[in-house]
Amino acid sequence: MTAQALAPAERKVAQRRIALTGNHAVALAVKMCRPEVIAAYPITPQTPVVEKLAEYVNNGELDAEYIPVESEHSAMSAAIGASAAGARTFTETSSQGLLYMYENLPIAAALRLPIVMGIASRAISAPINVWGDYSDVMSMRELGWIIYIAQSAQEAFDTVIQAYRVAEDSRVHLPAVVAYDGFWTSHVLQPLDVPEDEEEVIRFAPITRTWVKLDVDNPAQLGAVGTPEWYWEVRWQAVEALRGSLKVIEEADREYGRRFGRSYGFFSTYRTEDAEMVIVTYGSVYGLAKKAVDRLRGEGVRAGALRLRVIRPWPGDQLRKALEGVDRVMVIDRAINHGAYLQGPMAVEVAATVQRPVYSALATIGMRAIDSDMIYEAALKVWKGLWAPNQTYTIGLRGGYE
């Protein structure tokens, strides 16, 4: 399932065009979803999100309890407590803030609480780096959360709304992350189509309150001790729910497309129909990859590009079909999988999916800038056999293995 835009005649919801940064687009989407509890601690580069949400609450534009907690650990603790009480909740973080939350992240998943969290992605320390890569997001892959990676302010806006619908679906009941590039998306002003009538968002993503929650009239306990006799079975329910959420994610995305005219799929593809080589990446550098593909095509190389959008649950069957028959798959990762055979985390996933060697490259680490020419040159090395499969190369690292 690839990205698509419906024809104007099919768009049923009236919309207006404005300009917002990625962070403010996320805040607006959250406001339209009407969370009842927001618990957050500021950290660069996501701070404008929670500042704007605090402004909405202060101005009476959003009827929510805003909790200015003393740390990210407390933010997730408060979100867990609020969600366990049946409230629609939101939080946002980046980098070390996410790592400070870490103890509580698997708890939210195992308790099956539909918390939605935004991440303006940022490199992790040390050295201290406030700029964007996906080191923080990739650390969450094994914790049981649904993970989206958006390319633009528009997609981040739309995906937050979809995330609430998916997370609170009775077939899912899991927390969800919407990640996007720190600075390159979070702070860049972009055009944004938003519904004229905010009620349309709630019609699409109504608060269900169908998940297991605390009720003073029907006392129960959440988070009991998991003895060896029961722990595995309880955790396995979350495993099955995450696996089954693929269907719900697809349904929600298609329904959103029918109502709002934008649908994104599990991933996007560009000129892959007859491609012999495909560049796989995620986030905002997809635009650079497409530009490199056009240049390669102009030189007779049948190249294509693919952008990952949903990385948990992993859409393996769909991705395998999309890359079927492609001779060379090159994965550009934006985080380091330290000590692994392939040092790009998504390269490992893609290689396991296609069950053949892939070409792995690391780029934008610590937000090191790259351009389409650099991606083109790397792809050309793959095409000419100058790079070997199942090894990790670098794009833009001084003195690196290129």
Side-chain angles (χ1 to χ4, degrees):
M1 183 180 177
T2 58
Q4 54 186 311
L6 279 77
E10 297 176 85
R11 297 179 182 177
K12 298 180 180 180
V13 173
Q15 298 180 72
R16 59 191 174 93
R17 175 156 290 190
I18 59 177
L20 287 179
T21 64
N23 274 337
H24 284 174
V26 167
L28 181 60
V30 173
K31 169 181 172 284
M32 290 184 175
C33 289
R34 298 179 187 169
E36 294 148 313
V37 175
I38 300 165
Y41 189 84
I43 185 171
T44 303
Q46 68 85 7
T47 301
V49 175
V50 296
E51 287 179 334
K52 179 57 71 172
L53 287 170
E55 181 182 318
Y56 286 143
V57 173
N58 184 67
N59 293 345
E61 298 177 66
L62 174 61
D63 183 13
E65 186 71 27
Y66 187 95
I67 309 175
V69 293
E70 73 277 10
S71 72
E72 291 85 358
H73 186 281
S74 297
M76 184 51 60
S77 296
I80 287 171
S83 186
R88 173 170 279 188
T89 63
F90 179 79
T91 189
E92 173 104 11
T93 193
S94 300
S95 185
Q96 305 304 117
L98 179 69
L99 301 189
Y100 200 10
M101 287 182 177
Y102 214 79
E103 178 184 19
N104 289 323
L105 297 178
I107 294 173
L111 293 183
R112 308 289 298 282
L113 300 175
I115 298 163
V116 172
M117 176 165 66
I119 297 181
S121 64
R122 169 185 151 184
I124 57 176
S125 300
I128 295 173
N129 180 301
V130 301
W131 294 275
D133 70 21
Y134 278 83
S135 304
D136 48 7
V137 177
M138 292 301 165
S139 74
M140 292 188 67
R141 289 176 296 145
E142 315 311 326
L143 300 183
W145 285 58
I146 295 167
I147 303 177
Y148 294 92
I149 298 179
Q151 179 190 4
S152 63
Q154 182 72 70
E155 186 178 345
F157 173 88
D158 296 331
T159 303
V160 165
I161 297 168
Q162 291 187 27
Y164 273 111
R165 166 125 168 198
V166 171
E168 293 181 5
D169 189 287
S170 61
R171 296 165 291 177
V172 179
H173 292 159
L174 287 172
V177 156
V178 178
Y180 50 97
D181 283 29
F183 292 103
W184 284 337
T185 300
S186 67
H187 283 64
V188 173
L189 198 66
Q190 300 179 37
L192 189 71
D193 290 330
V194 300
E196 290 184 354
D197 181 2
E198 292 190 13
E199 292 294 327
E200 295 289 353
V201 172
I202 290 298
R203 292 187 189 103
F204 173 81
I207 304 175
T208 67
R209 305 194 208 282
T210 56
W211 59 97
V212 175
K213 51 190 177 294
L214 300 172
D215 184 350
V216 294
D217 295 323
N218 297 284
Q221 183 178 16
L222 289 178
V225 173
T227 64
E229 291 79 12
W230 289 108
Y231 175 84
W232 191 359
E233 283 74 15
V234 173
R235 295 294 307 192
W236 198 252
Q237 291 180 5
V239 171
E240 295 287 6
L242 188 58
R243 183 181 298 153
S245 69
L246 270 174
K247 179 180 179 181
V248 182
I249 290 168
E250 184 173 27
E251 289 175 359
D253 185 61
R254 286 180 172 170
E255 177 63 21
Y256 194 88
R258 283 192 289 270
R259 294 193 189 198
F260 298 93
R262 294 175 298 278
S263 181
Y264 301 94
F266 300 125
F267 48 82
S268 302
T269 58
Y270 180 71
R271 304 187 74 169
T272 58
E273 294 78 7
D274 64 341
E276 296 178 319
M277 178 174 65
V278 171
I279 302 168
V280 178
T281 191
Y282 42 91
S284 65
V285 301
Y286 181 55
L288 300 179
K290 292 196 292 184
K291 191 173 180 180
V293 164
D294 289 340
R295 184 174 173 185
L296 290 163
R297 286 273 177 170
E299 297 177 6
V301 179
R302 283 169 30 198
L306 185 148
R307 177 181 66 88
L308 300 169
R309 176 182 180 242
V310 177
I311 66 168
R312 285 294 183 272
W314 183 251
D317 291 342
Q318 296 84 352
L319 192 60
R320 187 181 303 112
K321 184 177 180 181
L323 296 173
E324 189 176 18
V326 177
D327 294 333
R328 297 174 179 86
V329 177
M330 172 186 172
V331 183
I332 300 177
D333 264 293
R334 306 178 60 194
I336 303 170
N337 196 19
H338 290 270
Y341 183 61
L342 290 177
Q343 293 181 331
M346 293 295 97
V348 173
E349 302 271 6
V350 173
T353 299
V354 300
Q355 297 182 2
R356 62 181 185 274
V358 302
Y359 298 81
S360 173
L362 301 177
T364 76
I365 305 303
M367 204 171 161
R368 176 68 55 80
I370 64 170
D371 57 30
S372 62
D373 289 342
M374 297 167 76
I375 295 178
Y376 160 81
E377 290 166 4
L380 207 57
K381 290 175 182 177
V382 170
W383 183 253
K384 292 181 176 180
L386 301 177
W387 278 9
N390 280 353
Q391 293 188 37
T392 300
Y393 298 84
T394 59
I395 302 174
L397 173 66
R398 290 189 295 272
Y401 187 20
E402 300 182 3

